[in-house]
């Protein structure tokens, strides 16, 4: 009998909370309502169904109804539901999410008509409140080639969305592109004058209008797939350059693979880089792209105020003749050996130095080209960096490498060993002996065991995972940390669910 009474006690405590505190709790719940796919974890209607008081509070608070979620699936399309939420959101700005689901199987004519007609009706409701759009996210389900995605883009038409600041279009794919016959003309400063953030993932490059104006954008993430096209593709590197040429206000740029063909990067005439004076963060996610892809991106951009440079590659997939020579002017140094990006203070490099044919050439050029780095994030390729750091530290004539370094983060993916720790310890010892400050060292391990839970609180389990991931016995691992600690280095060993 104690258990029910205890539960009743908590219910009573909730019921006496003032309205403003209840609204704070409701807001926390509302922020977690929608997942990244079409599933709804909890609807605000559930809050409004508890009691009369909660219903009055929920229905009377417009910010709880500003997420207009639409799924193009039989049974999920409801014009009434969208209209009700549009009304309840009052005059507040709204976030629109459209999930384009795969059609039913078998895909009969009757189902086809119902889904397309329902989609058209719901999109009409959304268009009518486009003046209140704050963000727009369109997600195409993996390998959905029914034509619904293109239909959604065309039916959105050209509504005037003066408050729209963020557009994200994601086409989940396992290798087959979601091709488009027409560009998404909605992406135009005429209709979206306040657009600041644009994310295109897995899209056909034709989704962008031919003369897209990116002058208002501050954050761009591009991940094109260009294998198929209904329109003959011109030099894709030139198209990429033209895209950036008007993006003078860019603060953050993320370039994924296949934004342009590597073959198009081979131009007869040397082209001047595009000046991006406001750019502070540049991320290049290469995957298995050839090193020429990286050199073309870096050669296309001039960013005198760049603060964070991140490069992710897959050096194990590169051939012997493709190992990156970082001393080449195509990468981080100009012809006169001056740095291309002199203001970089944070460097992230992953899977860039390892290769079956040996480490990247002239690693020292990374230190020379980025002399003012204060924070570095590396992965298991640290072994090559560590070797070079130790060798250069013994050179009494050469200036110290990364003298301003204050934080070193090493992210270890599963199934890797960190045999670099002796070199790392030696480098820190030499650095300490030379009078330089020691950086904080953070070593993060990804969980290696398939059965390990995300929240590993058992100390024995933690030690076991550290042992598996590092190749050292627990006592040896503690000894390494102890030795580094004696040098005055702050070492933070973390075991969590991080993955590469």
């Amino acid at each position: 009998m104690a258990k029910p009474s205890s539960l009743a006690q908590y219910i009573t405590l909730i019921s006496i909370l003032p309205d403003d505190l209840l609204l704070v709790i409701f807001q926390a719940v509302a922020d977690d309502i929608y997942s990244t796919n079409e599933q709804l974890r909890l609807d605000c209607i559930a809050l409004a169904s508890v009691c009369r008081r909660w219903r009055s509070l929920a229905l009377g608070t417009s910010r709880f109804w500003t997420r207009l979620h639409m799924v193009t699936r039989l049974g999920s399309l409801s014009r009434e539901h969208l209209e009700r939420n549009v009304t309840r959101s009052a005059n507040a700005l709204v976030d629109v999410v459209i999930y384009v689901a795969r059609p039913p199987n078998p895909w009969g004519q009757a189902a086809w008509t119902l889904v397309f007609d329902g989609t058209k009706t719901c999109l009409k409701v959304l268009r009518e409140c486009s003046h209140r759009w704050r963000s727009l996210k369109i997600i195409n389900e993996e390998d959905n080639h029914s034509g619904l995605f293109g239909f959604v883009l065309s039916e959105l038409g050209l509504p005037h969305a003066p408050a729209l600041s963020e557009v994200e279009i994601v086409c989940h794919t396992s290798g087959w592109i979601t091709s488009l016959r027409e560009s998404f003309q909605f992406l135009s400063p005429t209709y979206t004058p306040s657009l600041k953030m644009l994310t295109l993932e897995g899209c056909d490059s034709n989704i962008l209008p031919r003369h897209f104006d990116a002058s208002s954008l501050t954050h761009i993430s591009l991940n094109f797939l260009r294998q198929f096209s209904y329109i003959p593709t011109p030099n894709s590197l030139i198209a990429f350059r033209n895209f950036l040429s008007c993006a003078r206000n860019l603060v953050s740029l993320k370039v994924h693979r296949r934004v342009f063909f590597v073959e198009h990067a081979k131009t007869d005439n040397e082209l001047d880089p595009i000046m991006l004076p406001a750019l502070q963060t540049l991320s290049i996610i290469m995957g298995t792209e050839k090193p020429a892809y990286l050199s073309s991106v870096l050669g296309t951009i001039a960013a005198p105020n760049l603060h964070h440079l991140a490069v992710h590659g897959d050096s194990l997939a590169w051939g012997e003749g493709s190992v990156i020579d970082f001393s080449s002017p195509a990468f981080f140094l100009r012809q006169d050996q001056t740095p291309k990006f002199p203001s970089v203070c944070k460097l992230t490099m992953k899977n860039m130095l390892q290769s079956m044919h040996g480490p990247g050439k002239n690693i020292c050029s990374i230190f020379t080209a980025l002399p003012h780095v204060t924070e570095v994030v590396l992965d298991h390729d640290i072994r090559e960096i560590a070797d070079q750091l130790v060798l250069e530290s013994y050179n009494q004539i050469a200036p110290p490498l990364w003298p301003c370094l204050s934080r070193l983060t090493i992210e270890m993916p599963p199934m890797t060993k960190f045999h670099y720790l002796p070199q790392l310890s030696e480098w820190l010892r030499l650095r300490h002996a030379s009078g330089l400050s020691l950086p904080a060292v953070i070593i993060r391990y990804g969980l290696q065991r398939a059965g390990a839970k995300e929240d590993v609180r058992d100390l024995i389990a933690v030690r076991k995972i550290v042992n598996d991931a590092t190749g050292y016995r627990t006592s040896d691992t503690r000894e390494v940390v102890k030795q580094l600690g004696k040098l005055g280095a702050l070492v933070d060993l973390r075991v969590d669910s991080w993955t590469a």
Side-chain angles (χ1 to χ4, degrees), residues 126-143:
L126 295 177
R127 282 201 311 270
E128 290 174 351
C129 67
S130 62
H131 61 285
R132 293 199 284 120
W133 288 6
R134 174 172 49 196
S135 67
L136 171 65
K137 184 173 184 177
I138 304 175
I139 308 169
N140 192 42
E141 192 170 11
E142 184 174 349
D143 298 332

Side-chain angles (χ1 to χ4, degrees), residues 72-74 101-108 110-112 114-115 144 146 148:
T72 63
R73 177 179 285 127
L74 284 175
R102 283 195 300 264
N105 191 16
W107 184 231
W112 175 286
L114 287 174
V115 170
N144 178 16
S146 63
L148 262 175

Side-chain angles (χ1 to χ4, degrees), residues 322-360:
S322 299
V323 178
I324 289 182
D325 179 1
F326 289 112
S327 64
S328 168
F331 292 97
F332 304 125
L333 290 168
R334 304 182 192 278
Q335 293 285 357
D336 60 357
Q337 295 298 301
T338 59
K340 275 187 177 181
F341 308 107
S343 61
V344 169
C345 57
K346 180 177 180 180
L347 174 66
T348 300
M349 293 191 72
K350 296 185 180 181
N351 293 318
M352 288 299 299
L353 304 176
Q354 283 296 297
S355 169
M356 63 192 341
H357 307 288

